[in-house]
Amino acid sequence: MSNPKVRLLVVEDDPQLARALAINLRAREYDVDVVAEGRAALDVAARRHPQLVVLDLGLPDMDGVDVIRGLRGWTQVPILVLSARQSSTEKVTALDAGADDYVTKPFGMDELLARLRAAVRRGQPGPDGEPVVTTEAFTVDLAAKRVIRDGKEVRLTPTEWHLLETLVRSPDRLIGQRQLLQEVWGPEYATETNYLRVYMAQLRRKLERQPAAPRHLITEPGRGYRFVP
């Protein structure tokens, strides 16, 4: 039996197939949203934050590969492509754009369900849970969603936590301003760089020993931000 909390987004414009997928997935206790167009998929993903996307490439309003690229601009949600396109070139294009798996039509429901279970497992934390990230100034417990500084828990707003978590999950890697804005606030905020300045300043005041000279939450002017453990 699948985890009843796992939320899937199915993007399929064939009504009969979409209905069959929804029935089979809901019978296995997945929480399923179904849309028939690419733009609707991007909108629902931004609002509902699915844990897995099942995506047809041949959509009426835009190519599925562009949907993959749109999602990858702000989220690492596993994407399983379900398509009648069978050439190796088509598969490589989808995988290079950011898809995690590719199933060709027609397909067996048992195979698809197995692929889905595998994708969900890859997207979940391991048996030891999420890591605890420690710096000389503070400790981030990703599983408990807590930050400890000087032996005391630091109270963060949900937005502050989401921003910190996004940075901590990619240590030493520069994350661009646009990617951070889309990941934390959603695609419609991709140009609101003032949001980042305000919230990064708040995080530094709460976490850094010298907020004016941060050692862990680093700004790369004009480019983005970096977490240095």
Side-chain angles (χ1 to χ4, degrees), residues 156-177:
L156 300 181
T157 68
T159 301
E160 289 170 346
W161 169 260
H162 196 174
L163 179 57
L164 178 65
E165 180 185 30
T166 303
L167 290 166
V168 166
R169 286 185 181 280
S170 299
D172 294 313
R173 185 168 73 86
L174 176 68
I175 302 181
Q177 294 177 341

Side-chain angles (χ1 to χ4, degrees), residues 73-126:
W74 65 277
T75 179
Q76 291 304 307
V77 61
I79 300 172
L80 188 151
V81 168
L82 197 58
S83 178
R85 303 176 186 176
Q86 299 188 16
S87 76
S88 59
T89 301
E90 298 279 10
K91 293 178 182 180
V92 168
T93 299
L95 294 169
D96 282 348
D100 296 274
D101 201 354
Y102 195 110
V103 177
T104 56
K105 300 176 182 177
F107 59 90
M109 188 60 68
D110 287 344
E111 178 194 359
L112 176 64
L113 291 168
R115 299 279 192 102
L116 287 173
R117 290 192 295 270
V120 170
R121 284 196 300 271
R122 288 195 298 270
Q124 291 177 336

Side-chain angles (χ1 to χ4, degrees), residues 153-217:
E153 183 173 353
V154 180
R155 296 198 176 276
L156 300 181
T157 68
T159 301
E160 289 170 346
W161 169 260
H162 196 174
L163 179 57
L164 178 65
E165 180 185 30
T166 303
L167 290 166
V168 166
R169 286 185 181 280
S170 299
D172 294 313
R173 185 168 73 86
L174 176 68
I175 302 181
Q177 294 177 341
R178 185 182 183 89
Q179 180 181 342
L180 266 177
L181 285 162
Q182 291 180 326
E183 177 73 26
V184 178
W185 283 275
E188 64 270 29
Y189 293 91
T191 61
E192 302 289 344
T193 54
N194 59 305
Y195 282 37
L196 285 173
R197 287 193 294 272
V198 169
Y199 279 87
M200 287 299 293
Q202 291 173 189
L203 281 175
R204 286 173 180 141
R205 283 195 296 271
K206 292 182 177 183
L207 302 180
E208 293 277 6
R209 299 207 183 281
Q210 297 183 58
R215 295 186 59 181
H216 306 292
L217 302 172

Side-chain angles (χ1 to χ4, degrees), residues 42-64:
L42 294 173
D43 178 64
V44 171
R47 289 188 289 107
R48 295 272 288 161
H49 297 284
Q51 291 158 274
L52 179 69
V53 176
V54 180
L55 175 68
D56 180 22
L57 295 183
L59 301 172
D61 63 333
M62 61 190 295
D63 192 273

